[in-house]
Amino acid sequence: MKKLLFAGLLVAASSVTLAKLPALSDEAKAKAAEAAAKAAWTGKVEGYQLCKAQDRVAASYYKTAKAAGKETKPAAAPACVEPGPFAYVPPSAKPIEAAGAHSPSATATSPPSTRQPDAVVNPAKKP
C-alpha cells in the first residue's frame, strides 16, 4: 500500500515539474537582459577589486622582503583595468534590411513586372 501511494505521489510530482511554462513577455526579457548585464559588470568590478588587493599584498611582500634583506624578483603582471560605472543600453530592434531580408538597395520606381511576354524578354537559344 505504501509503495502504491509513494508511486502515485511521484507521478503527481513529475507531472507538475513537466508542466509547460508560458513564454516570457518582452518586458521580462528586457529585465532579464539588464540583470545579466548588471551581473557581468559586477563580476568585472569584483575582478578589479581582487586585482587591486593582489597588488597591495605583493607590494607589502616586496617591502618586507627587502627590509629582511631577501632578494626578490617582481613578476610582470597585467595592469588592473577599472570597468567604470554601470551603463546598460538595451539593444534596439534591427531594421528589416539588417535582419537579413532580401530587398533591393534602391527605392523602387516601377513595379517589378512588365507587360512583355517572356519569349520577348528571354528569347530561346537555338542549338
Side-chain angles (χ1 to χ4, degrees):
M1 179 72 179
K2 288 182 182 179
K3 289 182 182 181
L4 185 60
L5 180 62
F6 184 69
L9 287 174
L10 281 177
V11 169
S14 65
S15 66
V16 170
T17 59
L18 295 175
K20 187 174 180 181
L21 297 174
L24 292 176
S25 66
D26 290 338
E27 294 169 359
K29 288 179 186 177
K31 210 172 211 183
E34 184 176 1
K38 178 103 176 166
W41 176 80
T42 303
K44 289 178 184 178
V45 168
E46 290 171 354
Y48 173 71
Q49 291 171 345
L50 175 64
C51 181
K52 293 303 262 185
Q54 289 173 340
D55 286 350
R56 285 191 304 270
V57 169
S60 173
Y61 169 76
Y62 290 130
K63 182 180 176 185
T64 57
K66 187 176 181 182
K70 293 182 182 176
E71 184 179 335
T72 60
K73 296 180 182 177
C80 300
V81 179
E82 187 174 3
F86 177 70
Y88 176 70
V89 179
S92 60
K94 291 182 179 180
I96 293 174
E97 288 79 19
H102 301 287
S103 59
S105 59
T107 304
T109 57
S110 64
S113 60
T114 62
R115 295 189 176 260
Q116 294 178 342
D118 187 48
V120 173
V121 177
N122 300 319
K125 294 180 182 177
K126 295 183 180 179

